[in-house]
Amino acid sequence: MKLTISTLKRVINNFDSPYIWDYLEKYEHNDLGSGVYCWKFYIEDSYKLTIIDKDKNNRADEIIIERIR
């Protein structure tokens, strides 16, 4: 299942919560981490969401939303 803009808007207020990892895990993503969690989501061919942390039990250390087109 792919992450959509409307879903991203719905969950964006929860990015400060450690539960964001569990919620986003069900969406298609690339796990780029090696010793850290680094997940990249491509959203409707227009945006890329990257979330990074050392421990999925904490809120994400870094959240980046980029426009790619």
Side-chain angles (χ1 to χ4, degrees):
M1 174 167 43
K2 286 196 171 222
L3 189 61
T4 64
I5 294 287
S6 61
T7 303
L8 181 61
K9 287 178 181 178
R10 226 178 18 253
V11 302
I12 205 159
N13 292 327
N14 294 319
F15 277 158
D16 217 18
S17 165
Y19 302 112
I20 196 66
W21 293 101
D22 293 334
Y23 184 81
L24 290 175
E25 191 165 29
K26 63 186 168 190
Y27 293 99
E28 186 178 310
H29 62 277
N30 296 327
D31 186 352
L32 305 174
S34 176
V36 298
Y37 292 94
C38 179
W39 292 359
K40 291 194 186 241
F41 300 83
Y42 290 92
I43 305 165
E44 298 176 5
D45 296 327
S46 299
Y47 294 92
K48 178 173 60 173
L49 166 67
T50 305
I51 74 172
I52 303 167
D53 200 342
K54 296 178 192 114
D55 183 357
K56 285 189 345 184
N57 294 318
N58 296 320
R59 66 175 190 78
D61 282 337
E62 195 170 346
I63 298 167
I64 304 162
I65 301 172
E66 302 172 81
R67 186 175 184 101
I68 55 176
R69 291 184 197 218

